[in-house]
Amino acid sequence: MANYQKIKGTQDFFGLEALKKKTLEAKIRVVAENFGFQEIMTPIFEYTEVFTRSVGDESDIVSKEMYTFLDRGDRSITLRPEGTASIARAFNENKLYGNGNQLNKYYYCGPMFRYERPQAGRYRQFHQFGVEAIGNSSPLLDCDVIMSAYRIFETLNIKNIVLKINSIGDFASRSAYQTALQTYFKDKLDDLCGDCHRRYSKNPMRILDCKADKNNPVLLNAPKIKDYLNETSQEYFKIILSILDCFNIKYVVDPNLVRGLDYYTDTVFEYIIQSDDELNGLAICAGGKYAGLVRELGGPDLPGIGYAFGLERITSLLNNQEAWGNLELGVDVFVIGLDPESKQFGLQLAHEWRMGGLKVELDYQSNILKTQFKTLERFNPSYIVIIGEEERISNTVTLKNNTTKEQQRVAVDKVMAIVKEKK
Ligand code: HAM
């Protein structure tokens, strides 16, 4: 049977929802650019290795959630489940690193795809706004990146967000921790799910973000990374927290935060929603530092740090907190013509006014005043222009202010100024 419905976990955006999405992206872009990030656009699909190599074979994203298919040339292709790996791939491929360790700061915005169980705040096609700063390693940079996300929340007037932060250590600390986890889990494997058995030998840290074993005491009592951080990682993390303190950014150090993607090193963080509805506890923005990702994808040994916002989650929050402010879908002018010649004259005028920067809509079909008044309701115009034979011959229009309901006859070349003055 033919299926002409949208795919589960995807959404159509139109009307107010499309306007919200556009408004949101525009506001976030301004903040990202203020912080020195420039836009980068990469394809929405990549060779599958780009993600398996970076996000990690044992991560939920790679092992269960990717939209992977063979193209007609038998190449394995994946719809991007996240942006960081693609940016690192593009960074390498276009040699954006230049001659050395210059810092490159990018932002991106677009759809991502994950085969997850759709529920509140979780979609199969969702949209991320992300930033990546590649080329330097400094606690100062980490803090600036974390603060740029904080600034985005402030700009959007979003309240009740908690910043959770942790350090998962550099490579040496991580390796000591992995060994400790293997020792700890060795005689507890019977208490873990099948997936965790596999993770145990390949990447025991991934056991810690197992969804099935989330509340299992074996997981909750597992060794904590903070006890395995070497001095360098400890010092790095200490400086980050002190800078955040200086800037008065509130945070909670969460020793259980390890993040579900393999490329992270040292700093990891999530901004979590606190609310009394189904969004409570979801991450609205998440990220961290990745010291080895660029090298892993065949590039130079340069570190990066970044994060991504889930735009659908921000939208739900703004809806719940009624924090959208003024969102106007309406037009400046709606043109009504009362006979075929007047409608054509109206089309000419609409064209001129549009060239002058006004939003103008018109009725194309009807000559009947009442019908056209019905049509215009949908467009919520600030002004209504009515043209009949009399107006057309005298090069005037009847201009009605749709708020005050006052109407006057004015020369056509005066309309633009009047409408603009009231805008
Ligand atoms: P992530 O934690 O997988 O990290 O996703 C980042 C954000 O995307 C989440 O916090 C959430 O807001 C949103 N998100 C994820 N999955 C879904 C979904 N199925 N439906 C709706 N929203 C979702 C990353 O993707 C990393 N690339 C972030 C990063 C950038 N790390 C460094 N640079």
Side-chain angles (χ1 to χ4, degrees):
M1 204 172 67
N3 192 347
Y4 297 127
Q5 289 174 337
K6 64 181 181 303
I7 292 174
K8 199 173 154 189
T10 67
Q11 288 173 287
D12 299 316
F13 295 90
F14 51 89
L16 195 58
E17 294 311 309
L19 180 63
K20 284 179 181 172
K21 191 164 177 298
K22 191 174 75 169
T23 307
L24 195 56
E25 287 179 18
K27 286 188 177 174
I28 302 179
R29 260 168 219 273
V30 171
V31 181
E33 286 176 11
N34 286 346
F35 275 78
F37 294 95
Q38 289 181 355
E39 186 157 17
I40 183 165
M41 300 172 192
T42 60
I44 62 156
F45 52 13
E46 300 275 354
Y47 290 122
T48 302
E49 298 94 286
V50 171
F51 304 111
T52 49
R53 186 91 199 155
S54 54
V55 177
D57 284 331
E58 288 310 313
S59 64
D60 274 0
I61 295 179
V62 168
S63 63
K64 300 183 183 154
E65 297 171 0
M66 293 208 306
Y67 281 91
T68 297
F69 55 94
L70 289 181
D71 74 3
R72 286 169 192 277
D74 263 351
R75 302 171 197 93
S76 180
I77 305 287
T78 293
L79 298 185
R80 63 180 182 193
E82 60 106 49
T84 314
S86 305
I87 307 308
R89 194 270 309 140
F91 179 80
N92 291 341
E93 192 165 346
N94 297 291
K95 299 194 171 40
L96 298 174
Y97 41 81
N99 296 325
N101 61 353
Q102 74 197 29
L103 180 63
N104 290 273
K105 293 164 82 175
Y106 300 109
Y107 75 81
Y108 53 94
C109 187
M112 307 288 159
F113 306 84
R114 296 185 193 175
Y115 191 78
E116 292 197 84
R117 198 163 65 80
Q119 51 193 292
R122 210 174 285 285
Y123 298 90
R124 290 188 172 165
Q125 174 174 330
F126 59 100
H127 297 79
Q128 282 188 344
F129 188 101
V131 310
E132 312 293 346
I134 308 180
N136 284 184
S137 174
S138 154
L140 220 59
L141 172 63
D142 292 16
C143 285
D144 205 30
V145 168
I146 292 170
M147 286 190 306
S148 68
Y150 191 83
R151 182 73 200 121
I152 288 172
F153 286 120
E154 281 182 338
T155 306
L156 296 173
N157 259 325
I158 290 181
K159 312 256 168 354
N160 301 334
I161 297 292
V162 181
L163 168 61
K164 288 193 176 175
I165 188 163
N166 193 23
S167 169
I168 55 168
D170 58 12
F171 294 115
S173 310
R174 285 256 301 263
S175 148
Y177 183 49
Q178 305 263 34
T179 310
L181 285 178
Q182 267 169 336
T183 311
Y184 169 79
F185 283 121
K186 193 168 179 189
D187 55 3
K188 300 178 184 64
L189 285 176
D190 288 348
D191 297 328
L192 299 177
C193 74
D195 284 345
C196 284
H197 284 206
R198 220 186 41 245
R199 293 170 181 139
Y200 171 77
S201 46
K202 286 190 132 184
N203 188 349
M205 247 172 94
R206 287 284 69 88
I207 296 178
L208 302 177
D209 45 57
C210 172
K211 283 181 188 133
D213 276 329
K214 201 165 65 184
N215 299 317
N216 185 339
V218 173
L219 249 71
L220 300 176
N221 297 324
K224 302 284 179 268
I225 180 72
K226 72 173 172 26
D227 300 318
Y228 295 84
L229 296 183
N230 60 22
E231 243 173 69
T232 321
S233 285
Q234 279 180 34
E235 189 52 24
Y236 193 92
F237 193 43
K238 225 166 85 191
I239 301 174
I240 289 187
L241 299 185
S242 71
I243 301 174
L244 291 178
D245 287 335
C246 263
F247 279 88
N248 241 334
I249 304 226
K250 302 257 175 308
Y251 58 83
V252 176
V253 175
D254 179 355
N256 293 321
L257 182 66
V258 291
R259 306 276 297 123
L261 302 90
D262 277 359
Y263 48 64
Y264 292 114
T265 49
D266 282 306
T267 322
V268 290
F269 59 94
E270 289 184 350
Y271 285 92
I272 305 287
I273 302 173
Q274 274 191 320
S275 63
D276 46 18
D277 55 28
E278 72 285 0
L279 297 175
N280 186 41
L282 280 183
I284 190 167
C285 166
K289 184 176 170 181
Y290 41 89
L293 171 63
V294 171
R295 189 191 56 222
E296 200 64 41
L297 292 176
D301 194 6
L302 291 174
I305 173 155
Y307 59 73
F309 276 89
L311 294 186
E312 285 75 8
R313 291 185 189 180
I314 306 188
T315 302
S316 304
L317 261 190
L318 287 171
N319 289 344
N320 293 358
Q321 299 184 0
E322 293 176 8
W324 281 105
N326 244 1
L327 284 178
E328 281 293 337
L329 261 186
V331 299
D332 298 317
V333 179
F334 189 92
V335 184
I336 289 176
L338 300 179
D339 57 82
E341 290 81 17
S342 299
K343 288 193 95 69
Q344 191 170 329
F345 184 48
L347 185 64
Q348 275 169 19
L349 292 177
H351 186 65
E352 273 170 37
W353 296 333
R354 286 166 174 163
M355 304 265 282
L358 295 183
K359 274 193 228 168
V360 186
E361 188 50 280
L362 57 162
D363 180 287
Y364 301 94
Q365 278 199 159
S366 170
N367 295 328
I368 301 163
L369 188 65
K370 204 169 150 204
T371 311
Q372 297 185 68
F373 262 97
K374 192 91 207 113
T375 307
L376 69 80
E377 280 171 15
R378 228 161 37 90
F379 299 100
N380 191 24
S382 305
Y383 283 89
I384 301 162
V385 158
I386 303 161
I387 309 169
E389 195 183 352
E390 228 181 280
E391 282 92 349
R392 180 163 38 87
I393 290 169
S394 58
N395 219 21
T396 60
V397 299
T398 297
L399 183 67
K400 179 170 181 174
N401 182 318
N402 201 22
T403 316
T404 63
K405 307 295 176 198
E406 282 166 306
Q407 70 179 49
Q408 53 179 326
R409 181 74 82 78
V410 294
V412 291
D413 56 3
K414 296 277 182 299
V415 173
M416 188 124 78
I418 297 175
V419 175
K420 279 194 170 165
E421 197 194 344
K422 287 276 151 53
K423 255 184 109 164

